[in-house]
Amino acid sequence: MKHLDNIFAEKLLKISAIKLQPNNPFTWASGWNSPIYTDNRKTLSYPDVRSFIKVELCRLIEENFGDAEVIAGVATGAIAQGALVADTLGLPYIYIRSSPKDHGLENLIEGNLKPGQKVVIVEDLVSTGGSSLKAAQAVRNAGGEVIGMVAIFTYEFPVSVKAFKDAGVKLLTISNYSAMIAAAKEIGYIAESDLATLEQWRKDPANWVPRKIEG
């Protein structure tokens, strides 16, 4: 029987929100070589997948952070899903910019957040955890209490696991890298020979060197 994280990972692969190219890696903005590229914004164009995400993020919040008073989306990828979740749960909504506006009030947080309010942050993708935890700190700096974070997908990098633990932020996701690899193997998206490469990258993405293809 398939688990929910595998089922969802398969959905992401089928709509190309996740692409795997072990033999023709992508280059991230950070300069890292990567056999995977994720763009969860694509899910917004597929009503069934968009609704699935909304329902599952709400479930994670209701089951684990039932005392949430405010939902916060992280710009820009999670703004839409965060708003859908807040609307479904009937809770106030704010979103957190990556940097303050350069004009007007120079807001970092858009919306009304009262000191002491309990906040659940919605993210689309967690890689190293840096930007996600920066958003959590922004909420804390504004007087809010971050009781948890939910996300669509995580790469499960060891560095991010440690970062969330050190920051005292509980992270829950609909799916993850391990479940996605299992799903990709099951539907024939990748070959058995690709598995070792994909696992090596996850363990140390900053120093991963693509294998050379002989021909």
Side-chain angles (χ1 to χ4, degrees):
M1 183 176 179
K2 291 183 180 180
H3 293 288
L4 184 143
D5 53 0
N6 296 103
I7 294 171
F8 180 58
E10 188 173 324
K11 291 177 183 289
L12 295 178
L13 287 165
K14 286 182 175 179
I15 66 171
S16 296
I18 292 180
K19 292 184 178 181
L20 291 174
Q21 296 180 182
N23 300 319
N24 184 26
F26 303 95
T27 300
W28 285 3
S30 62
W32 289 3
N33 292 306
S34 172
I36 181 173
Y37 186 79
T38 304
D39 182 4
N40 287 323
R41 293 175 181 83
K42 286 192 174 184
T43 63
L44 297 170
S45 297
Y46 297 84
D48 57 331
V49 180
R50 184 181 68 219
S51 181
F52 184 98
I53 292 171
K54 177 188 69 177
V55 169
E56 290 306 318
L57 289 178
C58 287
R59 181 185 62 81
L60 287 175
I61 293 170
E62 290 178 320
E63 292 180 357
N64 298 277
F65 311 116
D67 55 345
E69 297 174 302
V70 177
I71 301 299
V74 180
T76 58
I79 288 180
Q81 284 294 350
L84 290 170
V85 167
D87 189 60
T88 301
L89 296 177
L91 292 173
Y93 180 62
I94 61 175
Y95 73 83
I96 309 154
R97 294 176 173 273
S98 57
S99 58
K101 284 195 298 187
D102 59 3
H103 61 281
L105 298 177
E106 299 183 348
N107 294 337
L108 183 57
I109 295 178
E110 299 291 357
N112 293 320
L113 176 64
K114 300 174 184 177
Q117 284 187 310
K118 295 178 179 178
V119 180
V120 173
I121 298 173
V122 176
E123 257 288 23
D124 68 322
L125 174 67
V126 174
S127 53
T128 63
S131 59
S132 303
L133 292 173
K134 181 181 176 183
Q137 190 58 49
V139 170
R140 288 170 170 170
N141 291 345
E145 179 187 349
V146 178
I147 61 174
M149 184 179 297
V150 294
I152 296 174
F153 189 83
T154 176
Y155 289 126
E156 298 179 297
F157 292 150
V159 65
S160 72
V161 174
K162 182 179 185 302
F164 274 89
K165 182 179 180 180
D166 291 347
V169 176
K170 182 176 182 180
L171 171 67
L172 299 173
T173 64
I174 302 177
S175 193
N176 54 68
Y177 190 78
S178 299
M180 183 273 300
I181 294 302
K185 178 184 175 184
E186 185 171 341
I187 65 176
Y189 191 103
I190 55 173
E192 185 79 29
S193 58
D194 293 325
L195 296 177
T197 296
L198 292 165
E199 182 57 26
Q200 288 169 1
W201 174 80
R202 187 194 66 82
K203 289 179 179 178
D204 189 10
N207 297 303
W208 181 72
V209 178
R211 64 187 181 188
K212 294 182 178 179
I213 304 299
E214 296 181 358

